[in-house]
Amino acid sequence: MVSTLGGLQRYFRVILLLLLGLTLLVLARFLLTDLELVSPLFGGQAKGPPVTNIMFLKTHKTASSTVLNILYRFAETHNLSVALPAGLHVHLGYPRLFLAHYVEGVELQQHFNIMCNHLRFNLPEVQKVMPNNTFYFSILRNPVFQLESSFIYYKTYTPAFLRAPSLDAFLASPRTFYNDSLLKNVYAKNNMWFDFGFDPNAPREEGYVRARIAEVERRFQLVLIAEHLDESLVLLRRRLRWALDDVVAFRINARSARSVTRLAPETRERARSWCALDWRLYEHFNRSLWGQLRAELGPRRLRGEVERLRARRRELATLCLQDGGAPKNRTQIRDPRLRPYQPGRADILGYNLRPGLDNQTLRVCQRLVMPELQYMARLYALQFPEKPRKNIPFLGE
């Protein structure tokens, strides 16, 4: 009887030990997962120094001004050199193919750390300005909405848009308005394809399209997607080994809702067809982005990192911005130096800073909301104090 009881006790101890071991294993996996989620707050996800040599191909009407602000801030914070437009220019030769002499000071400085102003990509000339270990990336947007934004933004500049009473009318008969021999019409068809240095009027031959997309893949380590900007920034941060605050940003150069045109389904389909090369580019790199996110992060960790990014943005909005961070139209922005450029028929929004910020916080907040032209002029003055300032208002020290 005693031996039987002893056997039962040993049996139950074994069972209890097995259950305890299983519980500890599950708990360990849970804790490791959670530590992986919070580890970016304590030094980042990747080992090694932050990447500081960066070329960003700034496409048009794709949330690229927000990314530009991120790069300008990083450059200023870390005292990095930026390849800025020479003289009074605001673009690097756009819409002409980029040439190295479009950069201020290129004859005196062998290489720059960051290149991010508008240009039409021309790799051999870019390589004259940027180091061999440069990280190349860009951004794309759904071509339907990119074209709608371009129509409003460049309405008074682009001949094809200037002649068309509406985007519906333009897309119903684009050849009535579009002349492919006019360089100013680059915004009216396959503009993102054009920015990568390709022919926006090329025939949609499958072999040609695949070859050009493969060319982009070989050169650009990452292509962000505007519709998934926060997810894109999470991945960008990992690749650059940057801190969280380095990639937190407010929307820059965004339009008010009243200046956005709602498009009928048939108009959207016409836009996809008219900008078919842009559409192929967008489809490919949208799939590529999500494939990389799944492979490197997985759904749970991605959600955690996106939420941390958004939470930090909310914190900075509370710290910096008046009225809960709501964007303001031009007439509502009190500081004229923070008013964004107003092109075409667009109603570009900006921000009011909270009054009474201490000097250090004020500098941080000013950089977060500074419109791109003012920020470019500011960096130009810092890098080239001996040269005449660009004729754009900007914030001084």
Side-chain angles (χ1 to χ4, degrees), residues 317-371:
T318 301
L319 174 70
C320 294
L321 305 181
Q322 201 167 36
D323 302 327
K328 306 295 182 182
N329 64 40
R330 188 179 187 278
T331 62
Q332 297 171 316
I333 300 171
R334 294 189 305 273
D335 188 342
R337 297 169 298 175
L338 295 182
R339 290 173 185 162
Y341 174 58
Q342 302 289 327
R345 294 180 179 174
D347 179 23
I348 305 299
L349 302 175
Y351 300 93
N352 282 325
L353 296 179
R354 289 179 55 216
L357 298 173
D358 64 77
N359 289 338
Q360 183 178 357
T361 304
L362 179 61
R363 283 194 295 272
V364 170
C365 295
Q366 284 174 337
R367 292 171 184 177
L368 279 163
V369 303
M370 196 178 298

Side-chain angles (χ1 to χ4, degrees), residues 162-275:
L162 189 61
R163 296 174 55 213
S166 67
L167 184 57
D168 281 331
F170 173 79
L171 288 171
S173 182
R175 292 292 175 185
T176 303
F177 308 102
Y178 179 78
N179 182 343
D180 60 18
S181 67
L182 298 178
L183 196 54
K184 285 187 175 182
N185 276 337
V186 299
Y187 304 104
K189 186 179 185 183
N190 292 314
N191 183 228
M192 294 181 290
W193 189 265
F194 177 87
D195 287 350
F196 277 90
F198 306 141
D199 179 5
N201 300 296
R204 290 178 275 176
E205 196 274 321
E206 186 64 20
Y208 166 78
V209 173
R210 289 187 178 184
R212 299 292 77 74
I213 290 175
E215 192 176 325
V216 174
E217 278 205 315
R218 283 193 299 270
R219 172 46 52 189
F220 290 83
Q221 287 99 312
L222 182 62
V223 176
L224 315 183
I225 297 295
E227 284 78 13
H228 310 292
L229 185 58
D230 287 345
E231 291 85 354
S232 295
L233 292 176
V234 164
L235 194 54
L236 178 67
R237 181 191 167 217
R238 287 174 59 83
R239 299 290 173 83
L240 298 181
R241 301 189 292 273
W242 284 9
L244 180 63
D245 274 10
D246 292 331
V247 298
V248 174
F250 303 142
R251 292 181 66 196
I252 302 293
N253 211 35
R255 289 180 294 157
S256 66
R258 68 181 182 84
S259 65
V260 177
T261 304
R262 297 188 64 180
L263 303 177
E266 59 270 21
T267 301
R268 295 186 184 194
E269 187 54 45
R270 287 169 178 164
R272 278 191 290 269
S273 178
W274 176 245
C275 295

